[in-house]
Amino acid sequence: MKYGLVGAKGKMGKEIRELFSSHGDDLVLEVDVDHFVERGIPEVIVDFSSPNAVPTTVELCKRYSAHLVIGTTALTQEHFELLRELGQHVAVVQSFNFSEGIAIFQKLLRNFSRLFTDWDCWIVETHHNQKKDAPSGTALMLKREVGREVPISSLRIGGIFGEHVVYFANANEVFEIKHSALSRKVFASGARKAALFCLKAKKGFYNFLDVLEGGIEHG
Ligand code: NAD
């Protein structure tokens, strides 16, 4: 696979580069702040950078007719509009979390949160001290699956890759579901699965669950 990488010099950029090259993929476009190296035409562009990069990333996808996998968090409604519009031309996979465990977590909450309607609920997320946004995009995704107003607490300590706990409690019982990422490799691996999915998918706007389940278009 020939791919481009936006955020090429970042922590996720390094992880993606290592994992993709271990599978023989060819990094033909590198983009970062004050850094643009083009060695070929990418089939897919992977963006783990900053929300500021989105307009340029979308332009690059159009220029090369490249699909897009985007994991960047703290996206606004305007960014989503740009990405959905891009989905009318190529395949776009957007997720605030590319780990399979979090995709399962989402499905668990989607199916079982209604059993906890009368219980208190609280989400606690913990990340490394360099993470720029809070709450995490993943916590917001999990909150959406709970389907009601839920407080989120964010801790920014040490080198933690990403830990999410959803608590349900009543006067007599506490129920908690927890997911911990043990390395950044998990996100890079999910991003590669999404990139391979794009090569076969119809144009459209997809999330990571679509990738894992084989592809339902969201229009
Ligand atoms: P990082 O700060 O280490 O790297 C970000 C890189 O993007 C830096 O090299 C920076 O110079 C570059 N960058 C910033 N603005 C840019 C722009 N306008 N154009 C091009 N490059 C630009 O951060 P990170 O830990 O690698 O995370 C990057 C993003 O990925 C964050 O939004 C983070 O929340 C997100 N993330 C998502 C997942 C997921 O599974 N979806 C997992 C981990 C991180």
Side-chain angles (χ1 to χ4, degrees):
M1 167 168 57
K2 288 187 192 328
Y3 75 103
L5 187 53
V6 182
K9 292 184 171 177
K11 290 184 281 299
M12 276 305 301
K14 177 174 176 283
E15 207 69 50
I16 287 165
R17 195 192 289 252
E18 282 175 11
L19 183 106
F20 279 47
S21 76
S22 75
H23 289 276
D25 300 322
D26 203 359
L27 178 58
V28 296
L29 178 74
E30 288 177 35
V31 184
D32 206 296
V33 175
D34 299 328
H35 180 79
F36 189 94
V37 179
E38 186 197 65
R39 287 184 287 267
I41 308 290
E43 297 164 273
V44 55
I45 292 179
V46 181
D47 180 328
F48 280 69
S49 62
S50 147
N52 308 333
V54 170
T56 310
T57 297
V58 167
E59 281 312 306
L60 289 171
C61 287
K62 287 185 177 171
R63 185 191 304 171
Y64 298 111
S65 293
H67 305 295
L68 176 63
V69 173
I70 180 158
T72 299
T73 56
L75 301 182
T76 64
Q77 213 42 52
E78 281 175 22
H79 296 128
F80 275 103
E81 278 163 27
L82 285 174
L83 295 173
R84 283 184 182 280
E85 197 280 324
L86 179 65
Q88 293 175 18
H89 306 277
V90 293
V92 176
V93 180
Q94 183 279 329
S95 178
F96 290 142
N97 196 303
F98 277 94
S99 88
E100 289 187 31
I102 287 291
I104 294 167
F105 203 155
Q106 282 179 270
K107 289 190 81 168
L108 284 174
L109 291 175
R110 191 175 299 173
N111 290 321
F112 296 112
S113 287
R114 64 191 161 77
L115 301 176
F116 294 101
T117 306
D118 298 331
W119 299 45
D120 293 339
C121 179
W122 202 294
I123 298 174
V124 179
E125 56 99 350
T126 309
H127 282 85
H128 57 87
N129 55 22
Q130 286 161 38
K131 183 167 174 64
K132 296 194 175 82
D133 54 318
S136 68
T138 306
L140 295 171
M141 281 188 346
L142 296 176
K143 175 178 166 175
R144 196 175 321 128
E145 299 298 351
V146 175
R148 58 178 150 125
E149 204 39 56
V150 175
I152 301 175
S153 299
S154 301
L155 279 69
R156 294 289 172 265
I157 49 169
I160 293 167
F161 299 119
E163 199 175 274
H164 291 83
V165 189
V166 177
Y167 292 94
F168 294 98
N170 64 23
N172 303 308
E173 300 170 78
V174 179
F175 190 97
E176 59 184 79
I177 316 174
K178 176 176 178 179
H179 176 270
S180 303
L182 301 181
S183 83
R184 288 192 178 86
K185 206 167 279 172
V186 67
F187 308 123
S189 168
R192 186 166 186 278
K193 279 198 179 112
L196 293 173
F197 168 89
C198 282
L199 298 184
K200 292 190 188 153
K202 291 185 192 153
K203 63 189 176 185
F205 184 77
Y206 301 91
N207 60 38
F208 191 47
L209 270 174
D210 297 329
V211 172
L212 296 176
E213 288 172 353
I216 313 134
E217 196 177 333
H218 284 287

